[in-house]
Amino acid sequence: MLGSHPKLTDYAEIFLHGLPGLRRLAAKCHGNEFLTEEGSAHARSFLEKTKDLPDGAHYEEFWEPAVDMMSHFTNGNEKAVGFKWMMNQGLDNKVDEAIDYFNENNFKVVILDRQNLLRQCISGFQLRATGEAHIMAGHENDENTEETFHQKLNITARNFRTYFKNRVRYHQWYDKIEAEINPGFVTRVTYSELSDDPVSVVKRLHKFFGLDSVEIETGGLVKSHVGPVSDFVEDWENVRAELLKTEYADAVKHWEDDSFASTDTRSTSAAAHVFIPEHYSYITMNENANLTQAEDPMWNLLTNACA
């Protein structure tokens, strides 16, 4: 929805395509009319800085030239150009370096938090199983959508515990980002705010980015698993019994309540957005990659534009 602004472009999950995908994009677009002269220079710089890396290089090895290139990926018509940097795409091991880079380049950061880790975990498993997230565009009375929303998932107590532990660690990193980013260049959005009133949240973020106010189209967003957890997790009674023996017992009881997802205001990290006004760019950081390359419309648009 951030990309609903005519002066903002969101390139989604750039690291999803790995080093080969970014190289193809840089090679196709540098010198192309799609990019400004400065943008072309950064694309060439990316190719030069990564020329000795193998195609299978990990994100941690090329994150900075990639972020640098994509933060300048514009034809000059936008006031904000952005993309996602998922936590499991190298950010988890580069938080300190990333903070320094953001501050040196005047990034603005928006952190999207969610505390209901139980339902967030279900969303993650649902995403991998069906390609649909917890909040998605659709219609509640659509027969195919309804079937997708209510598919039961095989999530064990061990799966849940591992997920909870990882998200607590991510939350600590987002707290660090919030504390160490330049004053006035970071803000938080809770999952409950976004799900309850997405239009107000997006308008607030557009203002934070220095953009004029525009009409926001939500695309008919609906929650994909409203109702008891037992509707979405196989053998939930036994899984729950195991979780109640763990350190997460009280939290699980609280997270089961569906109303908690829409009323709580202190959430655990799910995402963060970053914006660089001087260089017309922002970044989105999430926890896990969401799309396959074939499902990424913005990436397809980019490669077609530079063809």
Side-chain angles (χ1 to χ4, degrees), residues 21-80:
L22 288 166
R23 280 174 169 159
R24 286 193 297 271
L25 185 67
K28 270 191 168 185
C29 292
H30 80 81
N32 188 287
E33 62 182 10
F34 181 81
L35 288 181
T36 62
E37 185 175 332
E38 183 182 18
S40 290
H42 284 277
R44 288 191 295 269
S45 176
F46 172 82
L47 292 172
E48 176 64 24
K49 291 178 179 178
T50 62
K51 65 181 182 181
D52 295 326
L53 294 176
D55 284 348
H58 192 270
Y59 315 108
E60 296 175 18
E61 299 181 73
F62 60 89
W63 72 268
E64 189 167 340
V67 168
D68 189 60
M69 176 176 72
M70 296 308 298
S71 65
H72 294 85
F73 221 84
T74 174
N75 60 12
N77 293 327
E78 303 97 338
K79 290 186 176 179

Short mmCIF file of all heavy atoms in Angstrom, two decimals, residues 21-80:
data_model
loop_
_atom_site.label_atom_id
_atom_site.label_comp_id
_atom_site.label_asym_id
_atom_site.label_seq_id
_atom_site.Cartn_x
_atom_site.Cartn_y
_atom_site.Cartn_z
N GLY A 21 20.27 -12.51 -9.95
CA GLY A 21 19.16 -11.66 -10.36
C GLY A 21 19.52 -10.18 -10.32
O GLY A 21 19.16 -9.41 -11.23
N LEU A 22 20.23 -9.77 -9.29
CA LEU A 22 20.65 -8.38 -9.18
C LEU A 22 21.66 -8.03 -10.28
O LEU A 22 21.64 -6.92 -10.83
CB LEU A 22 21.24 -8.12 -7.80
CG LEU A 22 20.23 -8.10 -6.65
CD1 LEU A 22 20.93 -8.18 -5.31
CD2 LEU A 22 19.37 -6.84 -6.72
N ARG A 23 22.54 -8.97 -10.59
CA ARG A 23 23.50 -8.72 -11.68
C ARG A 23 22.79 -8.54 -13.02
O ARG A 23 23.14 -7.66 -13.81
CB ARG A 23 24.49 -9.89 -11.76
CG ARG A 23 25.61 -9.84 -10.74
CD ARG A 23 26.43 -11.10 -10.80
NE ARG A 23 27.67 -10.99 -10.03
CZ ARG A 23 28.36 -12.02 -9.58
NH1 ARG A 23 27.93 -13.25 -9.83
NH2 ARG A 23 29.46 -11.84 -8.89
N ARG A 24 21.81 -9.39 -13.28
CA ARG A 24 21.07 -9.27 -14.55
C ARG A 24 20.38 -7.92 -14.64
O ARG A 24 20.38 -7.28 -15.69
CB ARG A 24 20.06 -10.41 -14.67
CG ARG A 24 20.67 -11.77 -14.98
CD ARG A 24 19.61 -12.76 -15.40
NE ARG A 24 18.65 -13.02 -14.34
CZ ARG A 24 18.81 -13.97 -13.42
NH1 ARG A 24 19.90 -14.73 -13.43
NH2 ARG A 24 17.89 -14.15 -12.50
N LEU A 25 19.79 -7.51 -13.52
CA LEU A 25 19.09 -6.22 -13.49
C LEU A 25 20.05 -5.07 -13.73
O LEU A 25 19.79 -4.18 -14.54
CB LEU A 25 18.38 -6.04 -12.15
CG LEU A 25 17.51 -4.79 -12.02
CD1 LEU A 25 16.32 -4.87 -12.95
CD2 LEU A 25 17.06 -4.61 -10.59
N ALA A 26 21.20 -5.09 -13.06
CA ALA A 26 22.19 -4.02 -13.21
C ALA A 26 22.73 -3.98 -14.64
O ALA A 26 22.88 -2.90 -15.24
CB ALA A 26 23.34 -4.22 -12.22
N ALA A 27 23.00 -5.15 -15.20
CA ALA A 27 23.55 -5.21 -16.55
C ALA A 27 22.56 -4.71 -17.59
O ALA A 27 22.92 -4.04 -18.56
CB ALA A 27 23.98 -6.65 -16.88
N LYS A 28 21.27 -5.02 -17.38
CA LYS A 28 20.25 -4.60 -18.33
C LYS A 28 19.95 -3.11 -18.24
O LYS A 28 19.68 -2.47 -19.27
CB LYS A 28 18.95 -5.38 -18.06
CG LYS A 28 18.80 -6.68 -18.80
CD LYS A 28 17.38 -7.20 -18.66
CE LYS A 28 17.12 -8.34 -19.63
NZ LYS A 28 15.70 -8.77 -19.58
N CYS A 29 20.00 -2.57 -17.05
CA CYS A 29 19.47 -1.23 -16.83
C CYS A 29 20.50 -0.11 -16.83
O CYS A 29 20.15 1.04 -17.04
CB CYS A 29 18.68 -1.19 -15.52
SG CYS A 29 17.15 -2.16 -15.57
N HIS A 30 21.77 -0.41 -16.54
CA HIS A 30 22.71 0.71 -16.52
C HIS A 30 22.89 1.24 -17.94
O HIS A 30 23.05 0.48 -18.90
CB HIS A 30 24.06 0.30 -15.90
CG HIS A 30 24.99 -0.44 -16.80
ND1 HIS A 30 25.80 0.19 -17.73
CD2 HIS A 30 25.25 -1.75 -16.92
CE1 HIS A 30 26.52 -0.69 -18.36
NE2 HIS A 30 26.21 -1.89 -17.90
N GLY A 31 22.81 2.55 -18.07
CA GLY A 31 22.87 3.17 -19.38
C GLY A 31 21.54 3.21 -20.09
O GLY A 31 21.40 3.83 -21.14
N ASN A 32 20.52 2.56 -19.52
CA ASN A 32 19.18 2.55 -20.09
C ASN A 32 18.45 3.82 -19.67
O ASN A 32 18.70 4.36 -18.59
CB ASN A 32 18.43 1.31 -19.61
CG ASN A 32 17.09 1.11 -20.31
OD1 ASN A 32 16.15 1.83 -20.05
ND2 ASN A 32 17.03 0.11 -21.18
N GLU A 33 17.51 4.29 -20.49
CA GLU A 33 16.77 5.51 -20.16
C GLU A 33 15.90 5.32 -18.92
O GLU A 33 15.42 6.30 -18.35
CB GLU A 33 15.88 5.91 -21.34
CG GLU A 33 14.82 4.89 -21.71
CD GLU A 33 13.99 5.30 -22.90
OE1 GLU A 33 14.36 6.30 -23.55
OE2 GLU A 33 12.98 4.64 -23.17
N PHE A 34 15.70 4.06 -18.49
CA PHE A 34 14.92 3.82 -17.27
C PHE A 34 15.60 4.43 -16.05
O PHE A 34 14.93 4.81 -15.09
CB PHE A 34 14.73 2.32 -17.07
CG PHE A 34 13.91 1.98 -15.85
CD1 PHE A 34 12.53 2.04 -15.89
CD2 PHE A 34 14.53 1.61 -14.66
CE1 PHE A 34 11.78 1.74 -14.76
CE2 PHE A 34 13.78 1.31 -13.54
CZ PHE A 34 12.40 1.37 -13.59
N LEU A 35 16.93 4.53 -16.07
CA LEU A 35 17.69 5.04 -14.93
C LEU A 35 18.27 6.42 -15.21
O LEU A 35 18.62 6.74 -16.34
CB LEU A 35 18.83 4.09 -14.58
CG LEU A 35 18.49 2.76 -13.93
CD1 LEU A 35 19.78 1.99 -13.64
CD2 LEU A 35 17.69 2.95 -12.66
N THR A 36 18.36 7.21 -14.15
CA THR A 36 19.09 8.46 -14.25
C THR A 36 20.58 8.15 -14.43
O THR A 36 21.03 7.01 -14.25
CB THR A 36 18.92 9.30 -12.97
OG1 THR A 36 19.47 8.56 -11.86
CG2 THR A 36 17.46 9.61 -12.71
N GLU A 37 21.35 9.17 -14.76
CA GLU A 37 22.79 8.97 -14.91
C GLU A 37 23.40 8.49 -13.60
O GLU A 37 24.27 7.61 -13.59
CB GLU A 37 23.44 10.29 -15.33
CG GLU A 37 24.93 10.19 -15.63
CD GLU A 37 25.51 11.47 -16.16
OE1 GLU A 37 24.75 12.25 -16.79
OE2 GLU A 37 26.72 11.72 -15.95
N GLU A 38 22.92 9.05 -12.48
CA GLU A 38 23.42 8.62 -11.18
C GLU A 38 23.03 7.17 -10.89
O GLU A 38 23.83 6.38 -10.39
CB GLU A 38 22.90 9.53 -10.06
CG GLU A 38 23.44 9.18 -8.69
CD GLU A 38 22.86 10.07 -7.60
OE1 GLU A 38 21.81 10.72 -7.83
OE2 GLU A 38 23.45 10.11 -6.51
N GLY A 39 21.79 6.82 -11.24
CA GLY A 39 21.35 5.44 -11.05
C GLY A 39 22.17 4.46 -11.86
O GLY A 39 22.52 3.37 -11.38
N SER A 40 22.49 4.82 -13.08
CA SER A 40 23.32 3.96 -13.92
C SER A 40 24.71 3.78 -13.33
O SER A 40 25.29 2.69 -13.36
CB SER A 40 23.43 4.56 -15.33
OG SER A 40 22.20 4.47 -16.02
N ALA A 41 25.24 4.86 -12.76
CA ALA A 41 26.57 4.79 -12.15
C ALA A 41 26.57 3.82 -10.98
O ALA A 41 27.52 3.04 -10.78
CB ALA A 41 27.01 6.17 -11.69
N HIS A 42 25.50 3.82 -10.19
CA HIS A 42 25.42 2.90 -9.06
C HIS A 42 25.22 1.45 -9.52
O HIS A 42 25.69 0.53 -8.86
CB HIS A 42 24.29 3.34 -8.11
CG HIS A 42 24.65 4.52 -7.26
ND1 HIS A 42 25.36 4.40 -6.09
CD2 HIS A 42 24.42 5.84 -7.43
CE1 HIS A 42 25.54 5.60 -5.56
NE2 HIS A 42 24.98 6.49 -6.36
N ALA A 43 24.53 1.26 -10.63
CA ALA A 43 24.37 -0.08 -11.19
C ALA A 43 25.72 -0.62 -11.66
O ALA A 43 26.07 -1.78 -11.42
CB ALA A 43 23.36 -0.07 -12.33
N ARG A 44 26.50 0.23 -12.32
CA ARG A 44 27.84 -0.19 -12.77
C ARG A 44 28.73 -0.48 -11.56
O ARG A 44 29.53 -1.42 -11.57
CB ARG A 44 28.46 0.89 -13.65
CG ARG A 44 27.82 0.99 -15.03
CD ARG A 44 28.65 1.88 -15.95
NE ARG A 44 28.67 3.27 -15.49
CZ ARG A 44 27.78 4.18 -15.87
NH1 ARG A 44 26.79 3.85 -16.70
NH2 ARG A 44 27.88 5.42 -15.43
N SER A 45 28.59 0.35 -10.53
CA SER A 45 29.39 0.15 -9.31
C SER A 45 29.05 -1.20 -8.67
O SER A 45 29.94 -1.91 -8.19
CB SER A 45 29.13 1.28 -8.32
OG SER A 45 29.81 1.05 -7.10
N PHE A 46 27.76 -1.57 -8.69
CA PHE A 46 27.35 -2.86 -8.14
C PHE A 46 28.03 -4.00 -8.90
O PHE A 46 28.56 -4.94 -8.28
CB PHE A 46 25.83 -3.02 -8.22
CG PHE A 46 25.35 -4.39 -7.85
CD1 PHE A 46 25.19 -4.75 -6.53
CD2 PHE A 46 25.08 -5.34 -8.83
CE1 PHE A 46 24.78 -6.03 -6.18
CE2 PHE A 46 24.66 -6.62 -8.50
CZ PHE A 46 24.51 -6.95 -7.17
N LEU A 47 28.04 -3.92 -10.21
CA LEU A 47 28.66 -4.97 -11.02
C LEU A 47 30.16 -5.06 -10.73
O LEU A 47 30.72 -6.16 -10.65
CB LEU A 47 28.43 -4.68 -12.50
CG LEU A 47 26.98 -4.82 -12.99
CD1 LEU A 47 26.86 -4.32 -14.42
CD2 LEU A 47 26.49 -6.26 -12.87
N GLU A 48 30.81 -3.94 -10.57
CA GLU A 48 32.25 -3.93 -10.31
C GLU A 48 32.55 -4.52 -8.93
O GLU A 48 33.48 -5.33 -8.78
CB GLU A 48 32.77 -2.50 -10.40
CG GLU A 48 34.25 -2.35 -10.06
CD GLU A 48 35.17 -3.08 -11.02
OE1 GLU A 48 34.76 -3.31 -12.18
OE2 GLU A 48 36.30 -3.43 -10.61
N LYS A 49 31.78 -4.12 -7.91
CA LYS A 49 32.05 -4.56 -6.55
C LYS A 49 31.73 -6.02 -6.32
O LYS A 49 32.23 -6.63 -5.36
CB LYS A 49 31.28 -3.69 -5.56
CG LYS A 49 31.78 -2.26 -5.48
CD LYS A 49 30.95 -1.42 -4.52
CE LYS A 49 31.48 0.01 -4.42
NZ LYS A 49 30.66 0.85 -3.52
N THR A 50 30.89 -6.60 -7.16
CA THR A 50 30.49 -8.00 -6.94
C THR A 50 31.07 -8.94 -7.99
O THR A 50 30.74 -10.13 -8.00
CB THR A 50 28.95 -8.14 -6.96
OG1 THR A 50 28.45 -7.74 -8.25
CG2 THR A 50 28.31 -7.26 -5.89
N LYS A 51 31.94 -8.45 -8.86
CA LYS A 51 32.41 -9.25 -9.99
C LYS A 51 33.16 -10.51 -9.57
O LYS A 51 33.18 -11.51 -10.30
CB LYS A 51 33.28 -8.40 -10.91
CG LYS A 51 34.58 -7.93 -10.29
CD LYS A 51 35.38 -7.07 -11.27
CE LYS A 51 36.71 -6.64 -10.65
NZ LYS A 51 37.49 -5.79 -11.59
N ASP A 52 33.81 -10.49 -8.39
CA ASP A 52 34.59 -11.65 -7.96
C ASP A 52 33.81 -12.60 -7.06
O ASP A 52 34.36 -13.61 -6.61
CB ASP A 52 35.85 -11.16 -7.23
CG ASP A 52 36.80 -10.40 -8.15
OD1 ASP A 52 36.86 -10.75 -9.34
OD2 ASP A 52 37.44 -9.45 -7.67
N LEU A 53 32.55 -12.31 -6.80
CA LEU A 53 31.74 -13.17 -5.94
C LEU A 53 31.08 -14.27 -6.77
O LEU A 53 30.68 -14.05 -7.90
CB LEU A 53 30.64 -12.35 -5.24
CG LEU A 53 31.10 -11.31 -4.22
CD1 LEU A 53 29.90 -10.54 -3.68
CD2 LEU A 53 31.86 -11.98 -3.07
N PRO A 54 30.96 -15.46 -6.21
CA PRO A 54 30.26 -16.55 -6.92
C PRO A 54 28.76 -16.27 -6.95
O PRO A 54 28.23 -15.54 -6.10
CB PRO A 54 30.58 -17.78 -6.08
CG PRO A 54 30.81 -17.25 -4.71
CD PRO A 54 31.48 -15.91 -4.89
N ASP A 55 28.06 -16.86 -7.90
CA ASP A 55 26.61 -16.64 -8.00
C ASP A 55 25.89 -17.03 -6.72
O ASP A 55 24.87 -16.45 -6.37
CB ASP A 55 26.03 -17.45 -9.17
CG ASP A 55 26.33 -16.81 -10.51
OD1 ASP A 55 26.78 -15.65 -10.53
OD2 ASP A 55 26.13 -17.49 -11.55
N GLY A 56 26.43 -18.01 -6.01
CA GLY A 56 25.78 -18.48 -4.79
C GLY A 56 26.17 -17.71 -3.54
O GLY A 56 25.89 -18.17 -2.43
N ALA A 57 26.80 -16.56 -3.70
CA ALA A 57 27.23 -15.77 -2.53
C ALA A 57 26.05 -15.44 -1.63
O ALA A 57 24.93 -15.19 -2.10
CB ALA A 57 27.91 -14.49 -3.00
N HIS A 58 26.30 -15.44 -0.32
CA HIS A 58 25.26 -15.12 0.64
C HIS A 58 24.99 -13.63 0.63
O HIS A 58 25.87 -12.82 0.31
CB HIS A 58 25.68 -15.58 2.05
CG HIS A 58 24.54 -15.55 3.03
ND1 HIS A 58 24.25 -14.44 3.79
CD2 HIS A 58 23.63 -16.50 3.36
CE1 HIS A 58 23.21 -14.71 4.57
NE2 HIS A 58 22.81 -15.95 4.32
N TYR A 59 23.78 -13.28 1.01
CA TYR A 59 23.37 -11.87 1.05
C TYR A 59 24.36 -10.99 1.82
O TYR A 59 24.59 -9.83 1.47
CB TYR A 59 21.99 -11.73 1.70
CG TYR A 59 20.96 -12.71 1.24
CD1 TYR A 59 20.53 -13.75 2.08
CD2 TYR A 59 20.40 -12.62 -0.03
CE1 TYR A 59 19.58 -14.66 1.66
CE2 TYR A 59 19.43 -13.52 -0.46
CZ TYR A 59 19.03 -14.54 0.39
OH TYR A 59 18.08 -15.43 -0.02
N GLU A 60 24.92 -11.56 2.90
CA GLU A 60 25.82 -10.78 3.73
C GLU A 60 27.04 -10.27 2.96
O GLU A 60 27.65 -9.27 3.33
CB GLU A 60 26.30 -11.63 4.91
CG GLU A 60 25.20 -12.05 5.87
CD GLU A 60 25.73 -12.99 6.94
OE1 GLU A 60 26.96 -13.02 7.14
OE2 GLU A 60 24.91 -13.68 7.57
N GLU A 61 27.38 -10.96 1.86
CA GLU A 61 28.58 -10.59 1.11
C GLU A 61 28.35 -9.46 0.12
O GLU A 61 29.32 -8.86 -0.35
CB GLU A 61 29.10 -11.83 0.36
CG GLU A 61 29.50 -12.99 1.25
CD GLU A 61 30.03 -14.16 0.45
OE1 GLU A 61 31.16 -14.05 -0.07
OE2 GLU A 61 29.32 -15.18 0.33
N PHE A 62 27.09 -9.17 -0.19
CA PHE A 62 26.85 -8.12 -1.19
C PHE A 62 25.72 -7.18 -0.82
O PHE A 62 25.21 -6.44 -1.66
CB PHE A 62 26.58 -8.75 -2.57
CG PHE A 62 25.38 -9.66 -2.63
CD1 PHE A 62 24.12 -9.17 -2.92
CD2 PHE A 62 25.52 -11.03 -2.41
CE1 PHE A 62 23.02 -10.00 -2.99
CE2 PHE A 62 24.42 -11.88 -2.48
CZ PHE A 62 23.17 -11.36 -2.77
N TRP A 63 25.31 -7.19 0.46
CA TRP A 63 24.17 -6.38 0.84
C TRP A 63 24.40 -4.89 0.60
O TRP A 63 23.50 -4.18 0.12
CB TRP A 63 23.80 -6.61 2.31
CG TRP A 63 24.76 -6.01 3.31
CD1 TRP A 63 25.84 -6.60 3.89
CD2 TRP A 63 24.71 -4.67 3.84
NE1 TRP A 63 26.47 -5.74 4.73
CE2 TRP A 63 25.80 -4.54 4.74
CE3 TRP A 63 23.86 -3.58 3.67
CZ2 TRP A 63 26.06 -3.37 5.43
CZ3 TRP A 63 24.12 -2.41 4.37
CH2 TRP A 63 25.20 -2.30 5.24
N GLU A 64 25.60 -4.39 0.91
CA GLU A 64 25.81 -2.95 0.81
C GLU A 64 25.77 -2.45 -0.64
O GLU A 64 25.06 -1.47 -0.93
CB GLU A 64 27.10 -2.54 1.50
CG GLU A 64 27.26 -1.03 1.60
CD GLU A 64 28.37 -0.61 2.54
OE1 GLU A 64 28.79 -1.42 3.39
OE2 GLU A 64 28.81 0.54 2.43
N PRO A 65 26.51 -3.06 -1.59
CA PRO A 65 26.38 -2.59 -2.97
C PRO A 65 24.97 -2.79 -3.53
O PRO A 65 24.52 -1.99 -4.37
CB PRO A 65 27.41 -3.42 -3.73
CG PRO A 65 27.75 -4.58 -2.85
CD PRO A 65 27.56 -4.10 -1.45
N ALA A 66 24.26 -3.82 -3.05
CA ALA A 66 22.89 -4.04 -3.52
C ALA A 66 21.97 -2.94 -3.01
O ALA A 66 21.16 -2.37 -3.77
CB ALA A 66 22.39 -5.41 -3.07
N VAL A 67 22.06 -2.63 -1.72
CA VAL A 67 21.25 -1.56 -1.14
C VAL A 67 21.59 -0.23 -1.80
O VAL A 67 20.71 0.59 -2.11
CB VAL A 67 21.46 -1.49 0.39
CG1 VAL A 67 20.86 -0.21 0.96
CG2 VAL A 67 20.85 -2.72 1.07
N ASP A 68 22.87 -0.01 -2.03
CA ASP A 68 23.31 1.23 -2.66
C ASP A 68 22.73 1.37 -4.06
O ASP A 68 22.23 2.44 -4.45
CB ASP A 68 24.84 1.26 -2.71
CG ASP A 68 25.38 2.60 -3.15
OD1 ASP A 68 25.09 3.61 -2.47
OD2 ASP A 68 26.08 2.66 -4.17
N MET A 69 22.75 0.27 -4.83
CA MET A 69 22.21 0.32 -6.19
C MET A 69 20.71 0.57 -6.18
O MET A 69 20.20 1.47 -6.85
CB MET A 69 22.50 -0.98 -6.94
CG MET A 69 21.87 -1.02 -8.34
SD MET A 69 22.26 -2.49 -9.31
CE MET A 69 21.30 -3.75 -8.46
N MET A 70 19.98 -0.22 -5.39
CA MET A 70 18.53 -0.12 -5.43
C MET A 70 18.01 1.16 -4.81
O MET A 70 16.92 1.62 -5.14
CB MET A 70 17.90 -1.34 -4.75
CG MET A 70 18.21 -2.66 -5.45
SD MET A 70 17.83 -2.66 -7.24
CE MET A 70 16.06 -2.36 -7.22
N SER A 71 18.79 1.78 -3.93
CA SER A 71 18.35 3.05 -3.35
C SER A 71 18.51 4.20 -4.34
O SER A 71 18.07 5.32 -4.07
CB SER A 71 19.13 3.35 -2.06
OG SER A 71 20.50 3.54 -2.32
N HIS A 72 19.13 3.93 -5.47
CA HIS A 72 19.27 4.94 -6.53
C HIS A 72 18.59 4.48 -7.83
O HIS A 72 18.83 5.06 -8.88
CB HIS A 72 20.74 5.23 -6.80
CG HIS A 72 21.45 5.87 -5.65
ND1 HIS A 72 21.99 5.14 -4.61
CD2 HIS A 72 21.69 7.17 -5.36
CE1 HIS A 72 22.54 5.96 -3.74
NE2 HIS A 72 22.37 7.19 -4.18
N PHE A 73 17.75 3.45 -7.72
CA PHE A 73 17.13 2.87 -8.91
C PHE A 73 15.89 3.67 -9.28
O PHE A 73 14.76 3.33 -8.94
CB PHE A 73 16.78 1.40 -8.65
CG PHE A 73 17.08 0.52 -9.82
CD1 PHE A 73 18.35 0.01 -10.01
CD2 PHE A 73 16.10 0.20 -10.74
CE1 PHE A 73 18.65 -0.80 -11.09
CE2 PHE A 73 16.38 -0.62 -11.82
CZ PHE A 73 17.65 -1.12 -12.01
N THR A 74 16.08 4.77 -10.02
CA THR A 74 14.98 5.66 -10.35
C THR A 74 15.24 6.34 -11.68
O THR A 74 16.39 6.53 -12.09
CB THR A 74 14.80 6.73 -9.26
OG1 THR A 74 13.81 7.68 -9.68
CG2 THR A 74 16.10 7.45 -8.98
N ASN A 75 14.16 6.70 -12.35
CA ASN A 75 14.29 7.48 -13.58
C ASN A 75 14.14 8.97 -13.29
O ASN A 75 14.08 9.78 -14.21
CB ASN A 75 13.26 7.03 -14.62
CG ASN A 75 11.83 7.18 -14.13
OD1 ASN A 75 11.56 7.82 -13.12
ND2 ASN A 75 10.90 6.58 -14.85
N GLY A 76 14.06 9.31 -12.01
CA GLY A 76 13.99 10.71 -11.61
C GLY A 76 12.58 11.23 -11.40
O GLY A 76 12.40 12.36 -10.94
N ASN A 77 11.56 10.42 -11.71
CA ASN A 77 10.18 10.87 -11.55
C ASN A 77 9.64 10.63 -10.14
O ASN A 77 8.63 11.21 -9.75
CB ASN A 77 9.27 10.16 -12.56
CG ASN A 77 9.58 10.57 -13.99
OD1 ASN A 77 9.96 11.70 -14.24
ND2 ASN A 77 9.43 9.64 -14.92
N GLU A 78 10.28 9.74 -9.39
CA GLU A 78 9.81 9.41 -8.05
C GLU A 78 10.46 10.32 -7.01
O GLU A 78 11.54 10.85 -7.21
CB GLU A 78 10.12 7.96 -7.69
CG GLU A 78 9.56 6.93 -8.64
CD GLU A 78 10.57 6.49 -9.68
OE1 GLU A 78 11.54 7.26 -9.91
OE2 GLU A 78 10.40 5.41 -10.26
N LYS A 79 9.77 10.44 -5.89
CA LYS A 79 10.36 11.10 -4.73
C LYS A 79 10.77 10.07 -3.68
O LYS A 79 11.45 10.41 -2.71
CB LYS A 79 9.37 12.10 -4.12
CG LYS A 79 9.14 13.32 -5.00
CD LYS A 79 8.27 14.34 -4.28
CE LYS A 79 8.10 15.60 -5.12
NZ LYS A 79 7.24 16.60 -4.44
N ALA A 80 10.32 8.84 -3.85
CA ALA A 80 10.69 7.77 -2.94
C ALA A 80 10.78 6.46 -3.71
O ALA A 80 9.86 6.12 -4.45
CB ALA A 80 9.67 7.63 -1.81
#
